[in-house]
Amino acid sequence: MGTGTARGHLLGIGLFSAALAGRYALGPILPPLGFPFLTFFPAVLLATYFGGMGPGLVTGALSTMAAWYFFIAPYGSFALVTTPEVIALVFFVAVVLVDIVVVHLMNSAVNRVEDEKARSAHLAEELQRLNTSLEERVRVEVAAREAAQLKLAQDQRLRALGQLAGGVAHDFNNIMQAIQSGASLIRRRAESPDAVRHLAQMVEEATQRGGSVTRRLLSFARRGELRLEPVDPAGLVRGLREILWHTLGAQIRTEIDADRPLPALLTDRGQLETVLVNLATNARDAMPQGGTLSISATEEYLSPEGARALGLDAGRYVRISVGDTGEGMAPDVLARVGEPFFSTKLAGAGTGLGLAMARGFVEQSSGTLLIESALGTGTTVTIRLPAATAMKLVEKPRTSSTMATRPLRILLVDDDALVRNFLAESLADQGFSVLRTSSGDGALALLSAGEQPDVLVTDYGMPGTNGLALIESVRGSPSLARLPALLLTGNLEQDLDRQFSERAATDPLLRVMRKPVSVEELAEELSTLDRLAQAPAA
């Protein structure tokens, strides 16, 4: 109830009245002069406990006066006659005061405990509320940060895609320029067979460079297969002289040192040539006022210690170095120059993939690429590729052109008229009879009309029925179940690569070739498929 409240005082007075009545009721059985305060102790304690110190003091005072007046002789008087009575009264007053103080302190302690419990409960509720609020804020912040990271990643992908598209477009535009110029010169010099042959060879080399662009992308993604063949590194480097003279311009002086005989390499000739041309182009860009480009090729033997330092196996290597006298690079730029999409060129002038692709090709060829540069001293890029052993050269002979073993009738399907017509004419020169159509539906119509080709050659990506679906439809006919099929594709999607590989692994009469492909390679595959089809079925 609390100290000093009206209800507490009324409770105290009520308890005192009950104690007084109880004392009178016990009078017949208590000694006349004994136990005058017997029933008053409980009243004082209860009044203090339930009402507080004020009601306890009031009850104690009333109890003292009532006991003194009514139950200590002389009765009906506040006079004290004997010493024991004085002591008894003083003792009662002292005990009552002590009890009141003790009970009050006990109540205060209990109240403090209850207050602390209530405060703790309130704090717990507040903490729970704060935790809930904090969790919600963290969730919102994390969601916002993830959204920002996704947006940043998307922006970076789009920016990288734009750079990549610009760089690839730049490479292909150069290739298309070479092809267009070569075709124009062939048309103007048609009366000179030697000039036509020379120009046609240059056009073929340009198309090979175009194919190497896509292979570089696959090599950068570690998905491309190298077209391994024996390569004379000295001859390849010397052969760059004419290409670089047209590519780099008159301000760049080119020095090529590759006159000594070198061991052969077993590598992808097109990709190696493209890497060297790209390195030379980077060197030109580092010499805007002109300078000297030096390319050398030498044989090198790496001891176990030297090879270990380079992360290679000990043995014979061919070292190809491309150096310039340009501006050079600061240490922080040199540390990042091999990172994908990092470029020192102006926006739109470079993809930042050239060195990354070069490094990917070299490492895929079991070699290493090192870059040395400093401001004002130029840059040197050193490529080390393992020399081919005689066993490897025997295992990987160069593919030679092969004429058809018998007059084959080819059903050629491609939706691109230029590609379809050029392939048809080229195959005709190889001794094949070619029936051409522009769609899968057109091919099925020809087959339904009774045409009986020896081999089906089809593009993959066509409107309507794609190449694989066409092959499945054709193979569904019992009479064409063993018709050999050659699938041509220019797609780079990884899922399609896996689909092609799985399909070809279970079908010996299906081959997949990636565009661009030379007519000699195409003829070789067609003859191989025909031989497999003529062999008795297992």
Side-chain angles (χ1 to χ4, degrees):
M1 292 183 183
T3 303
T5 63
R7 294 179 61 187
H9 285 87
L10 290 175
L11 174 64
I13 294 172
L15 290 172
F16 161 71
S17 301
L20 180 60
R23 183 62 182 84
Y24 271 112
L26 294 174
I29 60 175
L30 292 177
L33 300 178
F35 305 99
F37 314 107
L38 179 63
T39 60
F40 296 106
F41 277 111
V44 174
L45 294 176
L46 292 174
T48 305
Y49 181 79
F50 290 107
M53 179 175 283
L57 290 174
V58 170
T59 305
L62 293 174
S63 298
T64 301
M65 291 178 10
W68 184 2
Y69 185 81
F70 292 108
F71 303 108
I72 297 177
Y75 304 113
S77 170
F78 290 107
L80 294 174
V81 178
T82 63
T83 300
E85 291 173 345
V86 174
I87 294 173
L89 183 61
V90 171
F91 181 76
F92 174 71
V93 172
V95 170
V96 164
L97 291 176
V98 170
D99 288 345
I100 290 173
V101 172
V102 169
V103 172
H104 173 69
L105 294 176
M106 181 185 69
N107 278 344
S108 298
V110 171
N111 289 336
R112 282 197 298 273
V113 170
E114 294 296 330
D115 290 343
E116 288 297 327
K117 287 182 178 180
R119 185 168 175 271
S120 297
H122 176 71
L123 290 176
E125 292 177 359
E126 185 68 17
L127 181 61
Q128 180 63 33
R129 186 184 64 81
L130 290 175
N131 285 340
T132 303
S133 175
L134 181 61
E135 289 175 357
E136 180 63 19
R137 289 175 57 188
V138 168
R139 187 188 65 78
V140 172
E141 289 293 333
V142 168
R145 179 167 298 184
E146 289 178 349
Q149 290 175 341
L150 288 174
K151 185 178 184 303
L152 177 61
Q154 179 68 10
D155 291 343
Q156 290 174 338
R157 283 193 292 270
L158 291 175
R159 184 163 56 252
L161 181 60
Q163 291 177 335
L164 179 60
V168 172
H170 176 268
D171 287 346
F172 271 107
N173 283 337
N174 286 340
I175 294 166
M176 295 304 296
Q177 178 64 52
I179 294 174
Q180 184 183 49
S181 299
S184 177
L185 287 171
I186 289 173
R187 178 171 50 82
R188 291 198 299 269
R189 301 180 184 178
E191 71 283 353
S192 173
D194 292 338
V196 168
R197 279 193 294 270
H198 176 68
L199 291 170
Q201 182 180 358
M202 293 181 66
V203 170
E204 286 184 340
E205 290 175 355
T207 61
Q208 290 171 1
R209 286 187 61 195
S212 71
V213 171
T214 57
R215 290 198 299 275
R216 273 189 297 150
L217 295 175
L218 293 175
S219 177
F220 172 68
R222 296 298 192 270
R223 296 196 295 111
E225 294 183 359
L226 299 179
R227 297 184 177 182
L228 302 182
E229 59 178 318
V231 175
D232 173 18
L236 183 143
V237 171
R238 288 194 301 269
L240 293 176
R241 191 187 302 274
E242 183 177 358
I243 297 175
L244 296 180
W245 186 82
H246 291 287
T247 302
L248 302 183
Q251 286 186 309
I252 305 301
R253 179 170 176 264
T254 303
E255 295 180 351
I256 292 182
D257 179 13
D259 296 328
R260 294 174 297 279
L262 297 174
L265 298 174
L266 190 61
T267 187
D268 189 312
R269 181 185 184 91
Q271 289 206 45
L272 177 57
E273 184 181 74
T274 301
V275 165
L276 295 178
V277 171
N278 280 345
L279 293 178
T281 304
N282 287 343
R284 177 203 62 191
D285 294 340
M287 300 183 288
Q289 306 303 321
T292 300
L293 169 71
S294 59
I295 304 177
S296 64
T298 58
E299 182 180 0
E300 181 180 32
Y301 179 81
L302 291 180
S303 64
E305 293 77 13
R308 191 179 305 113
L310 294 171
L312 299 173
D313 296 328
R316 298 170 67 207
Y317 286 82
V318 173
R319 182 182 64 199
I320 303 175
S321 298
V322 179
D324 64 64
T325 59
E327 303 167 346
M329 291 180 282
D332 58 331
V333 176
L334 181 61
R336 297 192 57 196
V337 72
E339 296 178 7
F341 305 117
F342 177 79
S343 177
T344 59
K345 301 176 184 178
L346 297 176
T351 64
L353 284 175
L355 282 174
M357 289 179 177
R359 190 185 301 277
F361 161 71
V362 172
E363 292 177 353
Q364 196 175 9
S365 302
S366 303
T368 185
L369 182 147
L370 297 177
I371 306 173
E372 298 173 288
S373 183
L375 287 175
T377 63
T379 300
T380 299
V381 180
T382 302
I383 294 173
R384 287 179 175 85
L385 294 173
T389 64
M391 181 178 298
K392 287 183 177 179
L393 290 176
V394 171
E395 291 173 351
K396 298 287 185 178
R398 172 176 284 193
T399 301
S400 60
S401 61
T402 303
M403 298 293 287
T405 56
R406 67 186 182 97
L408 298 180
R409 184 168 176 78
I410 307 299
L411 175 56
L412 175 62
V413 188
D414 199 305
D415 61 313
D416 190 303
L418 284 175
V419 174
R420 183 175 65 251
N421 293 332
F422 272 119
L423 282 177
E425 295 295 332
S426 299
L427 288 173
D429 285 346
Q430 295 290 317
F432 297 99
S433 173
V434 183
L435 181 66
R436 65 189 83 174
T437 182
S438 62
S439 66
D441 292 339
L444 293 174
L446 289 173
L447 294 172
S448 298
E451 293 291 345
Q452 296 182 346
D454 297 305
V455 183
L456 170 64
V457 179
T458 177
D459 183 34
Y460 171 76
M462 299 183 294
T465 304
N466 64 44
L468 274 180
L470 172 60
I471 294 172
E472 294 291 341
S473 297
V474 171
R475 295 285 180 78
S477 173
S479 61
L480 300 173
R482 285 184 54 82
L483 177 66
L486 179 61
L487 183 68
L488 300 176
T489 177
N491 295 82
L492 303 180
E493 288 86 349
Q494 189 171 5
D495 290 340
L496 282 178
D497 282 347
R498 186 182 302 111
Q499 185 180 358
F500 294 154
S501 299
E502 293 174 352
R503 184 70 175 79
T506 59
D507 188 347
L509 296 180
L510 172 66
R511 296 295 175 90
V512 179
M513 299 186 73
R514 191 176 301 281
K515 297 178 180 178
V517 59
S518 70
V519 67
E520 290 81 9
E521 293 173 327
L522 188 58
E524 179 74 20
E525 288 293 340
L526 291 174
S527 298
T528 300
L529 280 171
D530 180 57
R531 287 194 297 270
L532 291 173
Q534 296 303 314

